[in-house]
Amino acid sequence: MPAPLAGAPRMRRRPPLVSLVIPVYGVAPYLPRFLSSLDAQDHPHHRLQVVLVLDGACDDSPRVCRSWARRTDLDVEIIETDNGGQGRARNLGMGRARGQWIGFPDPDDWLAPDFLTRLLAARRRGDVLLAARRRGDVLLAGRTLIHQ
């Protein structure tokens, strides 16, 4: 792709519709399946942000996450911090989330390919619990909603 001409307006990417904030600690054996499930999402990848918070991970999780981030077409941000627990890791990730909606899947699970599509459809029907947030809404959903 040629460089933009001087003075030409830059093409701006639309912000992600959904940001997934994922605390990572001691889950290396589960990460390949979980990360593959993110790649398999049928929600448009250019409208999805993944924020991986390496929460003082003491296993192979950081290497697995970095390797995947280089290969995937998803917008991935990796935050490294000392271990402070899941709540602190989620708060750090929320601070970097740019999506209109935020989800908090656990990395020892995996998501069905239509997870986000169904979740967003449930939002339009009013079947999802929502709470206010500074720059948008926070999406709170558990596995039961998706696997009914």
Side-chain angles (χ1 to χ4, degrees):
M1 174 188 276
L5 299 173
R10 290 183 181 258
M11 294 291 289
R12 294 185 61 156
R13 284 181 59 171
R14 291 174 69 186
L17 179 62
V18 177
S19 293
L20 297 178
V21 175
I22 301 130
V24 177
Y25 179 82
V27 291
Y30 307 103
L31 281 172
R33 186 172 188 186
F34 173 74
L35 297 172
S36 291
S37 78
L38 296 180
D39 282 329
Q41 290 302 298
D42 62 10
H43 179 76
H45 284 196
H46 69 282
R47 299 300 313 272
L48 174 60
Q49 175 194 25
V50 177
V51 181
L52 296 167
V53 183
L54 304 178
D55 187 31
C58 55
D59 60 5
D60 205 25
S61 296
R63 185 194 62 74
V64 173
C65 289
R66 285 188 201 97
S67 175
W68 174 76
R70 286 190 299 271
R71 291 188 319 267
T72 188
D73 66 337
L74 295 169
D75 176 6
V76 179
E77 181 161 355
I78 296 177
I79 302 169
E80 293 192 61
T81 185
D82 294 332
N83 183 255
Q86 213 176 46
R88 180 174 169 268
R90 285 182 173 153
N91 286 336
L92 287 171
M94 280 182 62
R96 300 278 186 87
R98 298 184 321 272
Q100 180 181 356
W101 300 93
I102 297 177
F104 302 96
D106 291 326
D108 58 350
D109 295 326
W110 65 93
L111 308 180
D114 62 349
F115 173 82
L116 291 171
T117 302
R118 290 182 63 197
L119 199 56
L120 292 169
R123 170 191 58 100
R124 286 189 290 278
R125 290 191 313 267
D127 295 339
V128 178
L129 175 63
L130 301 174
R133 174 179 168 237
R134 189 171 28 111
R135 293 184 320 257
D137 291 320
V138 177
L139 179 58
L140 305 173
R143 283 177 263 178
T144 51
L145 173 68
I146 300 309
H147 294 104
Q148 287 181 343

